[in-house]
Structures are given as structure tokens and as C-alpha cells.
Amino acid sequence: ENINKDITELTEEIVKEFYKEVEDIGNNGHGAVYVDYDIVTNTDKWFTLKLTVTSVRGSGSVYFKYYHIDRSTGKNVYLADIFETSDYSTIITENIKEQMRQQMKSNSDLTYWVDSEDLGFDFAAVSDSHNFYFDENGNLVIPFDKYEVAPGYMGHPEFTINKNEIKKIMKDKYTNIFK
């Protein structure tokens, strides 16, 4: 019910903003907004829904929002909820930064905002409510929106954290959601 309510409110806000912009520009432009969903995980223990919001007005933007339900409790779950300790953010962030460094080292066409003080900003850390999902192998995947950690040409980067690297800091019930 909470997820349905949140999706309804989000969709209504998106539509409201779209129609306000249509009213503001009148017949001087074209635009569209599209909201869709995918079921990422649907097991006896876990449910993940991915909401995709696409907005087109001269240029386009896409962003994602993930919703998770622990089926044993029926409650919504956020990134911070799956870990035993609060230092999970530092561990995950450092893992992601190392992946960024390795990818840039392997391919000079890739750019992430890490160790980039000359740009005036740097990827700081994942938050307690950051988007995430588990892949089919039970690894934690941290997706980012376009421009969040890299220039626009990099799209929507995702980083996979091997479950064995974080298992010791995860709550036991979330280490094997696919069994």
C-alpha cells in the first residue's frame, strides 16, 4: 500500500509539472512524459519494483526509482536497512570508487567524478536511501542517475558489489534472498 501510494503521488506530481510546462510554453514546443515499471525481483523473500520516468522536452531525461519489500515483514526496505552497521556506506562507497578508478585506468574514454578536485566536485558517498537492487546472483547493484557520478555521455552507471565482500556487514536475512 505504501509503495502504491508513493507511486501514485510521484506520478501525479510528474503529470502536474508536465501540464504546467505545457501551459507555460503553449504551442511553442513538444514534449512527453512516460512512467513505466519493471519487476526486478519477485521471490518468496523479496520484491523489487523499478520505476522508470522518462521526460522529453527538447532534450530528454530518464531517472529510476527502486522500491523494495521484505516479504517476511511486508515492510519497505531501504539501503541502510539491509546492513548491521552504519559503516556500510563507507565500505560500499570505497568499493565503488575503486571500481571507477579501475574502469578509468582500463579505458581512457571513461570519466567518473572521483579524485577530481580540479572539477570542484567529487562523488562523496551513497546515502541511506540510495537506489539499489540485487542481481540474479544476489550481488548488490548500486545504480546512479545520469550526471550523478559522471558526465552525461556515461549514461546511467551501475556498480556491482560482490555479495561475498559485504556479507559480513549485512543482516543475515538479506544475504540469501534468492534461496
Side-chain angles (χ1 to χ4, degrees), residues 13 16 37 44 55 99 118 123 131 147 158 161 174:
E13 184 62 30
K16 181 180 169 183
Y37 71 91
D44 291 343
S55 178
Q99 288 185 55
D118 56 316
F123 164 55
N131 276 331
Y147 302 108
E158 295 185 342
I161 315 294
Y174 298 126

Side-chain angles (χ1 to χ4, degrees), residues 144-159:
F144 290 91
D145 288 332
K146 192 174 181 179
Y147 302 108
E148 193 173 3
V149 294
Y153 77 88
M154 296 284 290
H156 300 86
E158 295 185 342
F159 298 91

Side-chain angles (χ1 to χ4, degrees), residues 69-168:
I69 297 175
D70 176 340
R71 290 198 180 223
S72 68
T73 64
K75 294 185 178 184
N76 294 0
V77 179
Y78 300 93
L79 185 61
D81 298 333
I82 65 173
F83 293 99
E84 290 285 352
T85 64
S86 60
D87 64 343
Y88 81 90
S89 178
T90 302
I91 293 167
I92 290 174
T93 298
E94 288 308 313
N95 184 299
I96 291 170
K97 286 182 177 184
E98 188 55 35
Q99 288 185 55
M100 290 174 172
R101 291 178 188 113
Q102 290 299 321
Q103 288 180 24
M104 290 188 304
K105 186 176 180 180
S106 299
N107 184 344
S108 62
D109 292 333
L110 300 180
T111 302
Y112 292 106
W113 294 323
V114 62
D115 306 327
S116 57
E117 294 83 20
D118 56 316
L119 294 175
F121 52 91
D122 206 2
F123 164 55
V126 294
S127 69
D128 289 350
S129 60
H130 194 93
N131 276 331
F132 75 96
Y133 65 93
F134 293 104
D135 69 12
E136 65 277 355
N137 298 313
N139 297 311
L140 181 68
V141 180
I142 305 292
F144 290 91
D145 288 332
K146 192 174 181 179
Y147 302 108
E148 193 173 3
V149 294
Y153 77 88
M154 296 284 290
H156 300 86
E158 295 185 342
F159 298 91
T160 301
I161 315 294
N162 186 294
K163 63 184 173 187
N164 295 323
E165 293 181 32
I166 56 172
K167 190 174 185 175
K168 64 182 176 266

